[in-house]
Amino acid sequence: MRIDLTFVLISALSSSVNSDVFTLVSEKMNWTDARSYCRQHHTDLVTLNDRTDMDELLQSLPSGLVSLMWIGLYRTDEYFPWVWVWSDGSKDLFTSWDPSQPNNVDGVQYCVCTSPKGYWSDWWCTDKLPFLCYTKKRDR
Ligand SMILES: *[C@@H]1O[C@H](CO)[C@@H](O)[C@H](O)[C@H]1NC(C)=O
């Protein structure tokens, strides 16, 4: 069974970023299937542009959902230095890596997930995780 939990980021100052609708899909999928799902039903896997985006997203997460979640960040580079890119083509340089990440365990961690604490880890793309999609608004 698929459970979609949609929530809208609410901010006193409405900005174009905050007008995007974020959707947490709790059904676990690998990164490529998650991206396909987001592109089919929403816009793409989520892009996080800055700390405010990250903080507001975390504050919007229903309590009790303690899990790693796919975001739209990934790389195709095999060799260091890796260039991380957003699935939707955004070029923003904001990152929120956990202090010990990215560490490329087994040499195959090409995708990125976030934790409810807001730190990112590179992760095995084949792993099945819940994920975050966003729906773009016209003014973005
Ligand atoms: C994800 O799973 C699909 C099957 O649902 C498979 O075709 C695809 O290769 C998998 N991708 C990764 C990165 O594991």
Side-chain angles (χ1 to χ4, degrees):
M1 189 172 108
R2 171 171 299 142
I3 303 164
D4 281 9
L5 185 58
T6 301
F7 49 92
V8 182
L9 298 187
I10 297 166
S11 171
L13 301 169
S14 76
S15 70
S16 56
V17 168
N18 292 341
S19 69
D20 284 347
V21 177
F22 289 71
T23 302
L24 169 61
V25 181
S26 54
E27 180 178 331
K28 296 178 181 179
M29 298 186 195
N30 68 33
W31 192 90
T32 47
D33 280 354
R35 177 162 74 167
S36 298
Y37 179 94
C38 289
R39 287 180 171 180
Q40 187 176 354
H41 298 279
H42 303 280
T43 298
D44 210 327
L45 277 170
V46 76
T47 292
L48 299 162
N49 295 295
D50 53 29
R51 173 57 55 194
T52 304
D53 230 7
M54 193 75 233
D55 287 346
E56 293 187 3
L57 176 62
L58 294 174
Q59 283 165 19
S60 303
L61 290 173
S63 59
L65 286 169
V66 180
S67 174
L68 301 174
M69 292 167 282
W70 289 130
I71 57 173
L73 200 63
Y74 72 106
R75 67 178 164 95
T76 54
D77 293 342
E78 187 176 350
Y79 300 106
F80 201 82
W82 305 312
V83 176
W84 297 93
V85 294
W86 289 104
S87 180
D88 70 357
S90 293
K91 297 281 190 279
D92 303 277
L93 297 174
F94 170 71
T95 58
S96 182
W97 295 112
D98 184 274
S100 63
Q101 303 288 339
N103 60 357
N104 197 27
V105 171
D106 302 337
V108 292
Q109 293 189 314
Y110 285 72
C111 296
V112 178
C113 63
T114 189
S115 76
K117 288 181 180 163
Y119 294 108
W120 303 349
S121 300
D122 56 347
W123 206 256
W124 297 269
C125 302
T126 52
D127 206 5
K128 294 186 178 180
L129 301 178
F131 53 97
L132 294 159
C133 306
Y134 81 95
T135 304
K136 196 183 200 123
K137 295 301 176 191
R138 277 199 206 101
D139 62 343
R140 178 158 179 165

